[in-house]
Amino acid sequence: MTTTLEISRVVERTAVLGPGLRAVIWVRGCPLRCPGCVAPEDLPFTGGTTRTVDDLAEWLGGLPPEITGVTFSGGEPMSQAAGLSALVTRVRADRDWSVMAYSGWTMEHLRRRGEPDHLRLLDQLDILVDGPYVAARHADLRWRGSANQRLHFLTDRHAPPPEDGSAGIELRLTDDGVQWIGVPPVPGFRTGFETAMRTRGITIAPSATSSDEKGR
Ligand code: SF4
């Protein structure tokens, strides 16, 4: 059983990457190279932090009860499906977590060509956001960045949002600077925002570079 995960970063509370208040785990590494993916720093499989499933389960279990879900982003969560699946099994033994994941692979591809770990994780998800970010199809959509990406509600835990528009961007001040999270409704958000902040002498927190037009 896989007992560790390579992680880029985590955040314990957001309202813009899935229904309700959620924790987010950004896994490290993606085998795809979508033009326009504006978080290239997350694509290598090395250079992150190795966390054990036990450690991450303990962290999630210690979050307040209003945090009702966890979202797996990246990087490519399916590349670490075994560890994430073990994590879901572990945390759901104590609390009925809503689980959402992004994948650059389509659901059809995962169902047809997926390995057992992919299928196991897929079967645990409440929501899958599938498909790669396609810059030419950037759109103002709920929780995703381009029109080819789809929301799959795999259980009846959540209903599709009544309107399909951006969930917005969260800004917060951290000890490391300004952090932003979300899926920008306009292309080029990251470059513009971070340039504007730096021009004003405001530091961008490293963890802010996780969310971008790719829909993460
Ligand atoms: S957009 Fe998503 S699937 Fe594509 S390279 Fe970036 S992280 Fe990977």
Side-chain angles (χ1 to χ4, degrees):
M1 174 187 285
T2 302
T3 56
T4 62
L5 287 156
E6 291 300 310
I7 298 299
S8 289
R9 62 194 70 84
V10 299
V11 70
E12 67 179 36
R13 176 190 296 253
T14 182
V16 296
L17 288 177
L21 292 176
R22 313 179 72 81
V24 184
I25 297 173
W26 284 271
V27 299
R28 186 84 180 165
C30 177
L32 304 177
R33 291 293 182 273
C34 307
C37 175
V38 293
E41 67 273 22
D42 285 342
L43 302 186
F45 284 90
T46 56
T49 304
T50 303
R51 303 272 300 263
T52 66
V53 168
D54 285 350
D55 172 37
L56 287 166
E58 196 171 324
W59 169 67
L60 285 170
L63 298 181
E66 65 264 27
I67 310 298
T68 56
V70 59
T71 295
F72 302 142
S73 187
E76 172 53 57
M78 285 296 167
S79 292
Q80 299 193 55
L84 291 174
S85 176
L87 178 62
V88 174
T89 299
R90 176 75 196 278
V91 298
R92 276 188 173 156
D94 298 324
R95 200 195 292 189
D96 186 23
W97 288 88
S98 159
V99 181
M100 169 171 152
Y102 287 87
S103 178
W105 306 110
T106 64
M107 187 165 73
E108 291 79 0
H109 176 90
L110 291 168
R111 291 262 187 237
R112 268 200 314 267
R113 310 285 295 275
E115 296 171 2
D117 289 333
H118 300 148
L119 300 176
R120 195 172 301 118
L121 179 59
L122 205 51
D123 284 345
Q124 292 172 307
L125 299 179
D126 294 294
I127 302 174
L128 172 73
V129 184
D130 77 345
Y133 171 66
V134 177
R137 300 188 67 189
H138 190 105
D140 177 359
L141 300 168
R142 185 65 50 95
W143 306 321
R144 58 213 199 277
S146 60
N148 60 297
Q149 295 178 307
R150 299 171 298 174
L151 287 175
H152 297 280
F153 290 84
L154 303 175
T155 68
D156 57 8
R157 185 190 297 268
H158 302 288
E163 293 179 10
D164 192 359
S166 171
I169 300 290
E170 287 179 0
L171 298 180
R172 57 187 81 185
L173 282 175
T174 75
D175 291 343
D176 297 323
V178 173
Q179 180 184 62
W180 66 273
I181 298 173
V183 182
V186 293
F189 167 82
R190 177 179 175 180
T191 301
F193 175 75
E194 295 186 9
T195 299
M197 291 297 103
R198 291 192 178 104
T199 299
R200 290 161 176 78
I202 298 169
T203 304
I204 304 296
S207 55
T209 60
S210 55
S211 321
D212 54 78
E213 287 90 351
K214 69 186 178 181
R216 307 294 174 96

